[in-house]
Structure formats: C-alpha cells, structure tokens
Amino acid sequence: MTYTLPELPYAYDALEPHIDEQTMRIHHTKHHNGYVTKLNKALENHSDFQQYTIEYLLRYIHRAPETIKTSIRNNGGGHANHSLFWQIMSPDGGGEPTGDLAQAIQDQYGSFQDFKETFTDTALTHFGSGWAWLVLDAADNLLVISTPNQDSPFMYGYKPLLGIDMWEHAFYLKHQNDKASYVAAWWNVVNWKEVQRQFTKPALHTR
Ligand code: MN
C-alpha cells in the first residue's frame, strides 16, 4: 500500500480572501502531490516500510536504511505536515479554541492572546523555509516550536496539533514577502474543532 494525496475537505477557493484559490490549488496539486509521489518512489523497493502510518514512519525514522532516510525526512515530512495543515484550516475557522484545549493553552501561556503572540513570533522569526507548530511533548505538555524544511514534529517525538507552513510557496502569490500579513490572515481560518480533535485523539501507530 502506498501513500496517497488526501482530498481537501473544502474547495480550493473556500479560504478566500484569507488564503487565495491559486495558492491553495498549486500548494495541494503540485507541492503536496510532489511529496507523496517522491515518498512512494523512495519506498517502492522497501515494502516493509509502506505498511506504517506516516506518523509511525517519521517517529521511527532512525530505524530506516540510510538510502531512504533523507527522502522519508523531506517527502514523508512534507506529506504529514501538509495532510495536517489542510485539516486544521476551515472556511468556518478563526476565533478561539474552547473546552479542555482552551484550558490547557491558558494554563501554559496565561491567555489565548499570549499563546497567539508566542506562536506568531515563532512563525515570523523562523529563518528560511519551515513550519511553526503547537505540539504536545511526551509528557503531554503544550509547546510552541519551529522545524526547518519539512521536518515533522513526529521526528522529534512530538505530536503536532496546529501548524503553519512558512515556506514562500504558502503565501508568496498573495502576500509576497509580507509574512506578517500571511500569518495574520491565517488565524482567520484556523479550525479549532480539528485542533481540539488532534489534542484528544490517541497517537496512531500502524495501519
Ligand atoms: Mn507547503
């Protein structure tokens, strides 16, 4: 079984005006699709590695042969990161989390606004291509981190709940070099119901 490009849970233009249709279309059909295609190519002679969930493949990347490790890191990471990214955005997004996720954010950061500032600052100060994340560590503490390139939080033993793609391909058509404008727009589409679901769901390891 090979990895497949998931469909978007909404239309390409559904996140307008915050994220534009052309960016969403290219991002999904070219960039994400490219990661899936290259990952499958790298694993075509390693059927034992095709049985794992993408989370498991990344969490235990250190067990992979050297010949496919870089491809799992870049293309497997790209596949996992984008699969979550589409889910944690929604045309009905924005606002603030509720329930136990809201409480956990408040306990860790003092307030939602303080969390939002920390996350935004992490995204804007990440140097070069990469991602900013809200993750759970192994002790179930919330952390805001950034990762370079397509490195996945799963590689570091973290469970990603929310992530923003800070590669130029995610914003350049609409926002050019204005990362702050992109991040500000993105908060309007964050799907907190899905982030809450990620917060409470158990880690999946095999398929
Ligand atoms: Mn991307």
Side-chain angles (χ1 to χ4, degrees):
M1 187 172 172
T2 55
Y3 295 92
T4 54
L5 180 70
E7 289 200 16
L8 291 190
Y10 37 74
Y12 287 114
D13 64 356
L15 305 181
E16 296 260 12
H18 309 294
I19 313 279
D20 62 289
E21 177 181 1
Q22 193 186 6
T23 295
M24 289 297 295
R25 190 180 294 278
I26 294 171
H27 204 168
H28 182 249
T29 63
K30 305 293 184 194
H31 293 281
H32 189 174
N33 192 47
Y35 299 126
V36 173
T37 303
K38 288 177 200 159
L39 176 64
N40 287 332
K41 178 83 183 152
L43 297 182
E44 70 186 356
N45 296 320
H46 297 270
S47 55
D48 44 335
F49 281 85
Q50 295 170 13
Q51 68 184 301
Y52 301 124
T53 62
I54 192 66
E55 293 93 331
Y56 189 93
L57 190 67
L58 291 161
R59 178 69 184 84
Y60 297 101
I61 187 172
H62 53 280
R63 295 180 186 169
E66 288 301 323
T67 50
I68 57 173
K69 207 175 266 184
T70 300
S71 190
I72 291 173
R73 180 176 197 164
N74 293 335
N75 299 305
H79 177 40
N81 293 344
H82 289 83
S83 296
L84 180 66
F85 189 54
W86 311 133
Q87 295 293 328
I88 58 85
M89 298 191 291
S90 164
D92 304 317
E96 298 188 12
T98 55
D100 52 356
L101 174 60
Q103 188 62 52
I105 287 174
Q106 195 177 325
D107 292 347
Q108 186 73 26
Y109 295 96
S111 70
F112 177 72
Q113 276 310 316
D114 287 326
F115 155 73
K116 194 172 168 181
E117 280 173 31
T118 298
F119 188 98
T120 298
D121 189 54
T122 300
L124 295 180
T125 56
H126 180 83
F127 183 76
S129 295
W131 292 72
W133 303 98
L134 175 67
V135 302
L136 281 175
D137 69 11
D140 276 346
N141 297 306
L142 291 176
L143 284 181
V144 172
I145 62 164
S146 66
T147 57
N149 304 309
Q150 293 296 351
D151 279 11
S152 159
F154 291 120
M155 288 169 43
Y156 303 99
Y158 297 137
K159 179 169 130 178
L161 307 179
L162 173 70
I164 183 169
D165 188 341
M166 295 306 295
W167 284 56
E168 285 188 345
H169 68 228
F171 61 84
Y172 207 81
L173 289 178
K174 184 179 172 75
H175 298 278
Q176 286 81 53
N177 64 332
D178 191 351
K179 290 185 180 181
S181 151
Y182 161 60
V183 176
W186 175 81
W187 284 113
N188 293 311
V189 297
V190 171
N191 179 358
W192 287 110
K193 278 186 192 155
E194 177 61 22
V195 181
Q196 165 75 31
R197 200 180 71 80
Q198 297 292 336
F199 180 65
T200 52
K201 88 171 187 184
L204 293 172
H205 280 313
T206 49
R207 63 177 181 182

